[in-house]
Amino acid sequence: MDKLIISGGHPLHGEVMISGAKNAALPLMAASLLTSEPCTISNVPNLVDVETMAELLTHLGVSIERDGDQVIVHAKKPAGEASYDIVRKMRASYYVLGPLLGRLREARISLPGGCAIGARPIDLHIKGMEKLGAEINVEGGYVNAKAARLKGAEIFLEGTKGPSVGATINVMMVAVLAKGTTRIIGAAAEPEVCNVAAFLRKMGASISGDGTHEITIRGVDKLHGAEFKCTPDRIEAGTYAVAAAITRGRLILRNAPSAHMGNVIQPLLEAGAEIEASGNHLTVSMMRRPTPLVVNTAPYPGFPTDMQAQLMAWLSLGKGTSLITENIFENRFMQAMELVRMGAQITIKGNTAVIEGTDHLSGAEVMASDLRASAALVLAGLAAKGKTTVSRIYHLDRGYERLENKLAGVGAEIKRVSAPDEE
Ligand code: EPZ
């Protein structure tokens, strides 16, 4: 398995090109199942998760053509099921459930199962689809869904942890072909939800209210192919913003979706980063240790849980005590103990991390556990004194395009080495 070796202490300077958003590209590719005509999606990032979605769609009889950052998805006659061996690789495989049910009136997908950061149930996806008339039973680890007819409905979709991005998008992809009007109340308002809604509108769907917590969908009989551009990745941009700040450098983030990054930028500004947003780029610089913060992760437009680990790495070097409370996932502090091995002073009390800022971190051998925890360890390594080796970086490759190349391009001393598979 590959490792990253980082020699820390180099302030980053220069420009980073932000890629398309993983969490939009995956549902956009799945939404192409809703029509028998070809769909062309541009600005699709080159990620392992995107390859896995392409593999799943191919398995369903869909033709996929990849040309640079463009993907052409042509689902003439999709068939088959999303089997366990693919779904276990990527939970977001559940995004084929909605479109297959909407278009074919039936679908069979393996239950995704949990992951490192939490149980990750899909009960809200199922509840929403049942409200639209689907009969769903779960047995043998598979979700079997069928619907003689799909009828618009009023659906309260919010869960105990707030709105669900996945359930909102999946239910939207069924409702677009249901008879009549659907109102999703308690919908997620994340920019990726808006990006999928905009794509569905280009395909001929009638959707309004996306970006708020109430989305109205008027069903249509058929959808047609479309060309569409995937939105840039606000979490990738936020990760590089922290890279600029934690190394006390200055980065220009090209193609950053600044308009959707207020919730990411706010805590960085409060901690003392200098950030200038103009058009489609963001300039981030910082010359000192961050001021401590008290932060709560929350659904959009709150501070995103996908930036929590990266912020923790930076606040480990803060001038005082910070608190980060993780309200979305039940086990998303996996990076904390690895950061402690680098000299961070972090204690976990329930779903709150208490971070006593220290004036330096020391390089160490650390292990990635999930996508954003891995990013946090890389960020800490960029700032730490000495050498940091991050293992199990297959987690990173799922969600960051050419991370070490982009970092090396702005002055980081970082390289990827292949290591013999661990026992
Ligand atoms: C999406 O996951 C993202 N993944 C996650 O990003 C992100 O952290 C999350 O949204 C929250 O923003 C993709 O888009 C592929 P949710 P999703 O449904 O849709 C609970 C990353 O690092 N819930 O919004 O699965 C759930 O357990 C990944 O890029 C239910 O209880 O998240 C969680 O506590 C990690 N029942 C909360 O809701 C359900 O049916 C929010 O989950 C669905 C979710």
Side-chain angles (χ1 to χ4, degrees):
M1 284 187 249
D2 292 358
K3 295 184 176 183
L4 285 178
I5 298 180
I6 305 162
S7 296
H10 303 279
L12 303 185
H13 287 277
E15 289 197 12
V16 174
M17 188 61 80
I18 300 302
S19 306
K22 166 179 82 80
N23 294 348
L26 299 175
L28 290 173
M29 289 169 73
S32 306
L33 284 164
L34 284 162
T35 175
S36 59
E37 298 175 12
C39 293
T40 303
I41 306 166
S42 59
N43 199 35
V44 175
N46 186 7
L47 300 171
V48 167
D49 273 7
V50 169
E51 285 163 26
T52 305
M53 180 57 83
E55 182 192 338
L56 170 55
L57 292 172
T58 305
H59 179 75
L60 294 171
V62 175
S63 93
I64 300 271
E65 269 174 69
R66 178 101 203 208
D67 174 17
D69 77 357
Q70 225 178 36
V71 177
I72 301 170
V73 185
H74 193 182
K76 268 199 196 115
K77 267 178 75 57
E81 64 183 36
S83 56
Y84 177 64
D85 62 332
I86 291 185
V87 175
R88 71 182 168 79
K89 282 198 286 190
M90 183 185 67
R91 299 177 32 71
S93 306
Y94 56 49
Y95 275 136
V96 303
L97 177 60
L100 288 174
L101 182 63
R103 175 148 172 226
L104 305 179
R105 300 296 195 263
E106 66 177 343
R108 178 174 154 79
I109 70 156
S110 162
L111 267 174
C115 74
I117 64 177
R120 312 292 297 274
I122 60 166
D123 56 310
L124 297 173
H125 300 237
I126 290 171
K127 172 188 167 186
M129 292 175 193
E130 285 176 336
K131 284 276 181 198
L132 292 168
E135 279 167 49
I136 298 184
N137 69 59
V138 179
E139 60 182 72
Y142 275 77
V143 176
N144 301 290
K146 56 163 56 68
R149 56 198 294 276
L150 291 168
K151 192 169 171 312
E154 182 159 274
I155 305 170
F156 290 85
L157 205 54
E158 190 158 342
T160 53
K161 297 272 189 160
S164 159
V165 172
T168 301
I169 291 174
N170 233 345
V171 169
M172 208 163 54
M173 294 193 286
V174 180
V176 289
L177 290 177
K179 285 248 173 303
T181 300
T182 295
R183 278 175 66 220
I184 301 177
I185 296 151
E190 269 70 3
E192 293 75 26
V193 175
C194 301
N195 204 224
V196 175
F199 178 45
L200 292 168
R201 274 193 290 268
K202 273 202 92 176
M203 294 169 76
S206 166
I207 302 176
S208 60
D210 44 296
T212 75
H213 294 303
E214 190 167 316
I215 298 176
T216 300
I217 298 144
R218 283 172 191 76
V220 295
D221 295 335
K222 229 162 103 73
L223 293 175
H224 51 74
E227 296 194 0
F228 192 72
K229 184 174 182 189
C230 176
T231 186
D233 195 321
R234 60 196 171 97
I235 304 300
E236 183 197 23
T239 305
Y240 285 106
V242 173
I246 202 171
T247 59
R248 302 193 195 176
R250 182 177 184 277
L251 290 179
I252 297 172
L253 308 178
R254 289 265 177 243
N255 280 349
S258 318
H260 299 144
M261 290 186 66
N263 56 343
V264 172
I265 292 168
Q266 193 47 41
L268 302 187
L269 288 169
E270 277 170 30
E274 284 170 37
I275 301 179
E276 184 207 317
S278 62
N280 65 349
H281 65 266
L282 212 55
T283 305
V284 182
S285 61
M286 178 86 173
M287 302 314 286
R288 56 177 179 76
R289 291 166 65 185
T291 309
L293 296 177
V294 176
V295 175
N296 272 285
T297 64
Y300 196 86
F303 182 71
T305 174
D306 291 351
M307 279 297 301
Q308 178 260 109
Q310 298 91 310
L311 192 71
M312 182 185 283
W314 186 35
L315 294 176
S316 300
L317 290 164
K319 282 171 39 186
T321 303
S322 295
L323 299 179
I324 299 182
T325 300
E326 171 56 62
N327 296 303
I328 309 296
F329 291 111
E330 56 269 34
N331 186 31
R332 204 168 194 180
F333 286 145
M334 311 272 273
Q335 68 284 350
M337 291 309 116
E338 294 301 293
L339 291 170
V340 165
R341 298 186 58 244
M342 298 176 73
Q345 292 166 35
I346 303 169
T347 46
I348 306 296
K349 296 184 172 27
N351 64 339
T352 295
V354 181
I355 305 151
E356 310 284 348
T358 176
D359 64 358
H360 75 281
L361 295 174
S362 307
E365 291 187 3
V366 290
M367 189 160 71
S369 53
D370 61 84
L371 173 56
R372 306 303 174 182
S374 326
L377 299 179
V378 171
L379 292 170
L382 292 171
K385 288 187 168 48
K387 185 172 98 169
T388 297
T389 303
V390 185
S391 61
R392 299 192 179 182
I393 56 166
Y394 53 85
H395 292 291
L396 271 176
D397 295 336
R398 296 190 47 184
Y400 287 96
E401 186 177 53
R402 298 180 303 108
L403 180 84
E404 69 271 18
N405 306 62
K406 291 188 180 184
L407 286 172
V410 288
E413 213 178 301
I414 182 170
K415 65 179 180 191
R416 178 186 288 252
V417 296
S418 295
D421 279 2
E422 293 159 21
E423 55 285 348

